[in-house]
């Protein structure tokens, strides 16, 4: 049966990418070796590594002021590495808490040094992104302000970064990297696990401004020190070679498809389809997020009661839809529309939603 993958991550990779990887799996470009068997110091791998970095730079328009690192440990390790490297003695790290992931990031930073919450939407069940009028004044001496650009679990998203003040910004872009533009001049550091929009699990991308990197803490264990990884071009130890290869293929595919502009357009198109279906359902489907904070990546919605929710989800399995249950902390349903998810899958889903509503309302 054909499947339509709406998993929150890891998730759908483009078929073309998987087929190319299949073709190259056993004998990579006539080297007689699979990438899985190759030394990370070999010429062939070095070129995969550098091409992946260059493609990512091109795709996301990352200027030379910023360096790209490929690390391991997921976005979760960045919750720890960011304050370890960037939070200075006698300074504060500020966090805007808009969901479980930013809360986790905040809690890790608390273990490292002085950390404060500048704003939080927890009291509302994380249904919105707090506007500037809801923020506490920032400490005079902050090392950085941390935001989570897209809240994977609750389905909210910073619509723009324009409101954010002129301080070193750290952005967790795990679930919307590659689907929006980034004002790099404002960004001290951005990080993302690759497994949603730009590749498979295993590689974590860290994009750090060079002047920020120059001033990071120098007293850290090597594996937790950005400078160590930077000095060795992310080859201090064995990198996740196959994940980086697949990340490179995925980015190349996205560039061929029309680049970032095209994926911004596609994500708007896909999200509109879903939100229109929710908004025109006469209250049968209700969105979790406030309209002004809606995510274009994770569409979270509920049905009138838990019996209908269960029947809806049961029915999706029969149709070949995968990954539509809401996160256990929110319940209901969630459709994740990352870059590997085609418009046709979304059309199938809204068709199912309409039929289900007709049958049950
Ligand atoms: N931040 C966000 C916004 C996420 O969605 C996730 C994972 N879903 C994480 C961080 C944690 O990522 P990882 O599993 O790569 O550690």
């Amino acid at each position: 049966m054909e499947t339509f993958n709406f998993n929150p991550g890891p998730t759908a990779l483009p078929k073309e990418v998987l087929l190319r990887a299949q073709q190259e799996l056993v004998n990579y470009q006539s080297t007689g070796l699979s990438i899985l068997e190759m030394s990370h110091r070999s010429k062939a791998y070095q070129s995969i590594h550098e091409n992946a970095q260059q493609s990512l730079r091109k795709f996301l328009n990352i200027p030379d002021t910023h360096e790209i690192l490929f690390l391991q440990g997921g976005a979760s390790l960045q919750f720890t590495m960011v304050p370890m490297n960037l939070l200075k003695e006698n300074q504060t790290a500020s966090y805007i808490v808009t969901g479980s992931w930013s809360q986790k990031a905040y809690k890790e930073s608390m273990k490292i040094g002085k950390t404060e919450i500048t704003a939080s939407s927890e009291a509302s069940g994380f249904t919105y992104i707090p506007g500037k009028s809801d923020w506490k004044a920032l400490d005079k001496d902050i090392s950085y302000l941390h935001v989570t650009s897209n809240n994977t679990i609750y389905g909210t998203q910073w619509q723009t970064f324009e409101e954010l003040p002129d301080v070193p910004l750290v952005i967790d872009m795990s679930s919307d990297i590659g689907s929006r533009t980034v004002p790099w001049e404002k960004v001290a550091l951005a990080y993302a696990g690759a497994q949603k929009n730009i590749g498979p699990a295993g590689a974590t991308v860290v994009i750090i401004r060079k002047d920020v990197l120059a001033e990071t803490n120098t007293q850290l264990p090597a594996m937790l020190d950005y400078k160590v990884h930077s000095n060795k071009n992310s080859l201090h130890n064995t990198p996740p070679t196959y994940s980086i290869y697949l990340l490179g293929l995925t980015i190349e595919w996205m560039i061929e498809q029309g680049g970032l502009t095209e994926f911004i357009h596609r994500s708007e198109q896909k999200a509109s389809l879903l939100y229109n279906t929710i908004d025109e359902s006469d209250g049968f489907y209700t969105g979790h997020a406030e309209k002004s904070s809606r995510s274009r990546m994770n569409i979270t919605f509920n049905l009138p009661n838990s019996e209908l929710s269960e029947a809806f989800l049961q029915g999706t399995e029969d149709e070949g839809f995968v990954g539509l249950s809401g996160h256990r902390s929110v319940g209901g349903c969630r459709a994740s529309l990352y870059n590997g998810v085609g418009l046709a899958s979304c059309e199938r889903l809204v068709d199912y939603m309409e039929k289900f509503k007709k049958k049950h309302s």
Side-chain angles (χ1 to χ4, degrees), residues 324-335:
L324 285 165
S325 317
H327 188 269
R328 58 197 173 279
S329 59
V330 183
C333 306
R334 168 175 56 171

Side-chain angles (χ1 to χ4, degrees), residues 98-111:
T98 49
S100 317
W101 296 112
S102 40
Q103 204 159 40
K104 285 191 169 121
Y106 162 73
K107 283 185 179 157
E108 287 303 290
S109 178
M110 293 268 285
K111 296 176 191 166

Side-chain angles (χ1 to χ4, degrees), residues 8-11 56 60 69-79 101 149 152 171-178 189-207 243 247 251 338:
T11 185
L56 189 63
L60 293 177
L69 306 177
F70 293 141
L71 305 182
Q72 299 184 65
S76 299
L77 185 58
Q78 293 313 305
F79 298 165
W101 296 112
S149 55
T152 325
I171 316 183
D172 175 358
M173 297 200 68
S174 291
S175 53
D176 66 358
I177 191 168
L189 186 151
Y191 62 92
Q195 67 268 22
K196 300 176 196 295
N197 262 348
I198 56 170
T204 308
V205 171
V206 171
I207 301 156
S243 294
L247 177 147
I251 306 278
Y338 299 120

